[in-house]
């Protein structure tokens, strides 16, 4: 199975250790979503933009760990999207982004660059 990551799970980010057993397949831009800063991590919601992501192949155990990390408290819900690497899961933020800072570039690594 595959997963799309866009924030703290990306390479060289604070939670990238969760992807240690995953196989990086490549980078990808997803259309129809917007990226918001939730503080130390981001959230993606449906919208008018693009979001820069990385796609990984992972095993069921890693997906279970990520579900426990991301779906606890109802903050995120997984959606299946098509990528150049095949279908992949994306964690979509489920709460309001009202008052949150939108990362217009769509790239979490560029969040401080004049956003």
């Amino acid at each position: 199975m595959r997963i799309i990551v866009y924030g703290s799970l990306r390479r060289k980010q604070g939670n990238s250790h969760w992807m240690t057993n995953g196989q990086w397949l490549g980078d990808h831009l997803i259309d129809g979503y917007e990226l918001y800063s939730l503080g130390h991590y981001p959230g993606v919601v449906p919208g008018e933009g693009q979001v820069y992501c990385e796609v990984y192949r992972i095993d069921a155990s890693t997906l279970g760990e990520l579900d426990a990390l991301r779906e606890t408290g109802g903050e995120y819900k997984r959606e299946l999207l098509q990528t150049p690497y095949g279908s992949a899961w994306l964690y979509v933020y489920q709460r309001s982004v009202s008052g949150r800072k939108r990362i217009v570039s769509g790239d979490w690594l560029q969040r401080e660059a004049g956003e």
Side-chain angles (χ1 to χ4, degrees), residues 21-49:
N21 293 327
Q23 176 191 6
W24 178 75
L25 299 175
D27 298 329
H28 179 55
L29 273 177
I30 56 171
D31 290 316
Y33 289 87
E34 296 175 352
L35 184 68
Y36 285 85
S37 175
L38 306 175
H40 295 293
Y41 58 94
V44 160
V45 297
E48 299 293 319

Side-chain angles (χ1 to χ4, degrees), residues 32-71:
Y33 289 87
E34 296 175 352
L35 184 68
Y36 285 85
S37 175
L38 306 175
H40 295 293
Y41 58 94
V44 160
V45 297
E48 299 293 319
Q50 291 185 315
V51 177
Y52 181 85
C53 305
E54 297 171 1
V55 181
Y56 287 84
R57 183 182 325 276
I58 59 172
D59 59 22
S61 174
T62 301
L63 184 63
E65 292 170 354
L66 293 175
D67 280 350
L69 179 70
R70 292 290 181 231
E71 293 183 338

Side-chain angles (χ1 to χ4, degrees), residues 83-94:
T83 76
Y85 313 101
S87 58
W89 292 108
L90 172 72
Y91 287 100
V92 178
Y93 190 64
Q94 297 298 299

Side-chain angles (χ1 to χ4, degrees), residues 89-106:
W89 292 108
L90 172 72
Y91 287 100
V92 178
Y93 190 64
Q94 297 298 299
R95 297 185 181 161
S96 171
V97 291
S98 178
R100 300 289 189 166
K101 180 180 170 186
R102 181 175 175 204
I103 314 280
V104 179
S105 70

